[in-house]
């Protein structure tokens, strides 16, 4: 899922063209991050201009010394923009150390930061529609992006006439019914999105049919049908954040 995001967002970057495309399973992602170039590029996606491009050592076969320079630059920059980098240095990130969870944890933090930076009233004034009775804008601004996304989903479900609500991105979404209603509600009218998935009994098949509808509006990223059925929270959170960024469907005040 993360590999797909990296492929899509960095495919036009000539500095890392020789590293892409990462395979769909992401199994080659760790080795291809050894020289730090991909991480530096991802940091600038999450927080533009954090790293001066001239400071990144680029090329197909850069020396070990320059690889460590890139990794150190990436770690320090990630820390500067708010990522947790405890236990991470230019040696522990190297794939030869076998500490894939460290790489995955940092990658997730950067992707999450990229997805969440658009979820704000300044970027989407229509978020004011999510205010509950007795609240004002200051209350809305206190909510985390995750909490805003939960409200957004429930707001759209209510508009769609659904009796369902969610409070999380694991147990509540496993049957794909909420996603099916949500996608149909926010999709542009000319997108040919349907709710046929609701008629499918097998949950994995239903999830796949739902994702086919998400693909019609360019919002299939991050999850597989299995991820939905298993309630993989991080991936489902990323899926919903991406859907929000593509199709907030909130009228400005």
């Amino acid at each position: 899922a993360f590999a797909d995001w990296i492929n899509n967002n960095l495919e036009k970057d000539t500095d890392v063209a020789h590293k892409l495309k990462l395979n769909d399973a992401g199994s080659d992602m760790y080795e291809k991050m050894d020289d730090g170039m991909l991480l530096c590029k991802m940091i600038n996606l999450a927080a533009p201009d954090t790293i001066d491009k001239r400071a990144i050592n680029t090329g197909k076969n850069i020396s070990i010394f320059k690889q460590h320079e890139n990794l150190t630059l990436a770690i320090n920059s990630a820390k500067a923009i708010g990522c947790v980098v405890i236990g991470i240095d230019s040696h522990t990130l190297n794939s030869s150390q076998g500490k894939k969870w460290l790489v995955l944890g940092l990658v997730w933090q950067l992707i999450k930061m990229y997805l969440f930076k658009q979820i704000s009233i300044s970027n989407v004034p229509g978020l004011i529609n999510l205010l509950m009775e007795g609240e004002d804008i200051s209350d809305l601004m206190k909510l985390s992006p995750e909490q805003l996304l939960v409200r957004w989903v429930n707001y759209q479900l209510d508009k769609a006439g659904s009796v369902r609500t969610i409070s999380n991105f694991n147990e509540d979404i496993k049957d794909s019914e909420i996603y099916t209603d949500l996608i149909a509600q926010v999709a542009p009218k000319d997108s040919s999105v349907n709710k046929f998935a609701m008629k499918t009994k097998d949950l994995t098949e239903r999830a796949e049919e739902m994702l086919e509808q998400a693909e019609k509006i360019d919002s299939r990223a991050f999850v597989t049908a299995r991820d939905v059925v298993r309630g993989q929270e991080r991936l489902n959170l990323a899926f919903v954040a991406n859907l929000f960024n593509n199709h907030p469907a909130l009228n400005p005040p």
Side-chain angles (χ1 to χ4, degrees):
F2 295 164
D4 187 46
W5 181 87
I6 292 169
N7 288 333
N8 289 338
N9 284 278
L10 292 176
E11 63 182 354
K12 295 180 181 178
D13 191 318
T14 55
D15 289 338
V16 293
H18 61 285
K19 293 181 170 295
L20 305 177
K21 171 183 177 205
L22 301 180
N23 66 45
D24 293 338
S27 57
D28 61 345
M29 180 175 70
Y30 308 100
E31 290 79 11
K32 289 185 176 180
M33 288 194 174
D34 278 347
D35 61 14
M37 275 190 276
L38 285 176
L39 280 174
C40 287
K41 297 292 185 176
M42 289 178 65
I43 287 166
N44 276 347
L45 285 173
D49 302 321
T50 296
I51 298 175
D52 187 330
K53 295 178 182 179
R54 295 169 297 181
I56 304 172
N57 297 309
T58 58
K60 290 186 178 181
N61 296 296
I62 62 175
S63 68
I64 295 294
F65 176 74
K66 288 187 175 181
Q67 289 181 29
H68 282 288
E69 277 190 340
N70 281 347
L71 288 169
T72 300
L73 176 62
I75 294 164
N76 290 338
S77 300
K79 185 177 180 179
I81 62 174
C83 292
V84 177
V85 294
I86 296 172
I88 298 177
D89 60 35
S90 61
H91 299 283
T92 55
L93 279 184
N94 191 280
S95 60
S96 64
Q97 299 296 306
K99 297 182 178 181
K100 293 182 178 181
W101 67 90
L102 290 178
V103 177
L104 205 57
L106 183 54
V107 167
W108 163 242
Q109 289 183 79
L110 293 171
I111 291 176
K112 184 178 176 183
M113 191 174 293
Y114 173 86
L115 291 171
F116 284 4
K117 68 182 179 181
Q118 297 181 55
I119 306 173
S120 67
I121 292 176
S122 58
N123 287 321
V124 186
L127 280 169
I128 200 168
N129 290 295
L130 306 186
L131 283 171
M132 294 184 174
E133 189 174 348
E135 290 184 337
D136 57 31
I137 292 178
S138 65
D139 295 305
L140 205 62
M141 293 178 73
K142 293 174 186 175
L143 299 179
S144 68
E146 292 95 331
Q147 291 171 320
L148 284 172
L149 286 173
V150 167
R151 282 204 186 188
W152 174 70
V153 172
N154 289 333
Y155 173 82
Q156 299 295 354
L157 290 174
D158 182 61
K159 285 183 68 177
S162 173
V163 297
R164 298 277 301 271
T165 60
I166 69 163
S167 60
N168 58 67
F169 294 103
N170 44 55
E171 292 297 326
D172 290 351
I173 51 80
K174 287 182 176 181
D175 64 7
S176 295
E177 289 186 5
I178 280 171
Y179 281 165
T180 299
D181 276 333
L182 175 62
I183 292 165
Q185 179 62 31
V186 303
K189 292 182 179 180
D190 60 352
S191 59
S192 302
V193 165
N194 62 62
K195 296 186 180 182
F196 296 161
M198 293 285 204
K199 300 177 182 179
T200 302
K201 292 184 178 180
D202 181 86
L203 291 184
T204 304
E205 291 178 8
R206 183 190 298 170
E208 179 56 38
E209 290 180 33
M210 174 275 295
L211 288 173
E212 288 172 2
Q213 303 312 304
E215 191 167 9
K216 291 179 181 179
I217 54 174
D218 298 320
S219 299
R220 185 175 175 141
F222 295 109
V223 293
T224 63
R226 183 176 296 180
D227 295 328
V228 174
V229 174
R230 290 181 175 179
Q232 297 281 6
E233 187 169 18
R234 284 185 176 181
L235 299 180
N236 280 283
L237 176 59
F239 172 73
V240 174
N242 186 59
L243 180 61
F244 173 89
N245 289 335
N246 292 340
H247 303 283
L250 293 170
N251 294 324

